[in-house]
Amino acid sequence: GQQLNQSPQSMFIQEGEDVSMNCTSSSIFNTWLWYKQDPGEGPVLLIALYKAGELTSNGRLTAQFGITRKDSFLNISASIPSDVGIYFCAAVTSGTYKYIFGTGTRLKVLA
Amino acid sequence: DSGVTQTPKHLITATGQRVTLRCSPRSGDLSVYWYQQSLDQGLQFLIQYYNGEERAKGNILERFSAQQFPDLHSELNLSSLELGDSALYFCASSVADRTLETQYFGPGTRLLVL
């Protein structure tokens, strides 16, 4: 079945560094989304992408919808301690409302 | 605050019991989705309702069922509970517009089965 391969699984970075993570799949999607989840909380939507090639920013976050529609990446610039959490990518197939989630990237920021 | 509310926040029960989790979607959202998240796991889609009707099913066990009421709130019923059912259960809602489909998640219900 469809699945999203998210990498890296986890990363430790120094405060101020830039972070990059991505999601890939063998399937085509028409919507990509990035969520952040803090411990014990629900995922919070960061960025939604609806067109292939689309590049969207939200503050220090930038995400792109891959031109092949099979991948997406998320960049975080100048990381700060509150960026700690688990980042999930999610994708939706055209004509359905079923989300498929990546396995998450656990980010830890060292002050 | 996403606008999606879930109750209760925490639930502790014993094996073999039955529980009901409740979700109120964002104002104006017609679709409700239920997800299960086990420890250190990603989100597993369980089921979706749209305007009172079941729209899509994921990896939902036969012991689990859900419904969406006329006021659009939804309940997830978990019966014959097993230890492995301990998890975070999230509800999400969306407008269900075909062109701009974004789900907003509630804070979750943490279920512990002893």
Side-chain angles (χ1 to χ4, degrees), chain B residues 15-98:
Chain B
T15 54
Q17 295 298 304
R18 172 190 169 96
V19 297
T20 298
L21 313 183
R22 182 187 168 102
C23 168
S24 292
R26 294 186 321 155
S27 175
D29 284 359
L30 299 177
S31 253
V32 170
Y33 311 75
W34 286 97
Y35 291 85
Q36 179 192 59
Q37 186 179 41
S38 301
L39 189 64
D40 290 334
Q41 295 293 312
L43 290 147
Q44 298 295 317
F45 169 71
L46 296 178
I47 197 165
Q48 179 209 357
Y49 277 81
Y50 173 76
N51 205 20
E53 294 190 4
E54 182 184 305
R55 174 67 68 89
K57 253 185 177 178
N59 302 320
I60 187 167
L61 299 172
E62 284 194 13
R63 300 183 285 109
F64 296 1
S65 65
Q67 55 183 325
Q68 186 179 27
F69 295 87
D71 66 353
L72 301 177
H73 90 271
S74 177
E75 293 181 354
L76 178 67
N77 300 298
L78 315 176
S79 61
S80 303
L81 285 167
E82 301 175 0
L83 296 178
D85 297 328
S86 296
L88 270 167
Y89 290 85
F90 289 105
C91 164
S93 75
S94 73
V95 172
D97 179 287
R98 288 185 184 272

Side-chain angles (χ1 to χ4, degrees), chain A residues 26-69:
Chain A
S26 58
S27 302
I28 290 175
F29 297 100
N30 69 323
T31 300
W32 282 90
L33 306 102
W34 285 91
Y35 287 86
K36 182 190 177 201
Q37 185 178 22
D38 292 327
E41 302 291 328
V44 174
L45 179 67
L46 299 175
I47 293 179
L49 303 157
Y50 301 103
K51 288 170 56 174
E54 180 181 355
L55 185 71
T56 298
S57 293
N58 177 9
R60 294 178 296 106
L61 279 60
T62 301
Q64 184 158 30
F65 190 144
I67 201 75
T68 65
R69 296 169 61 194

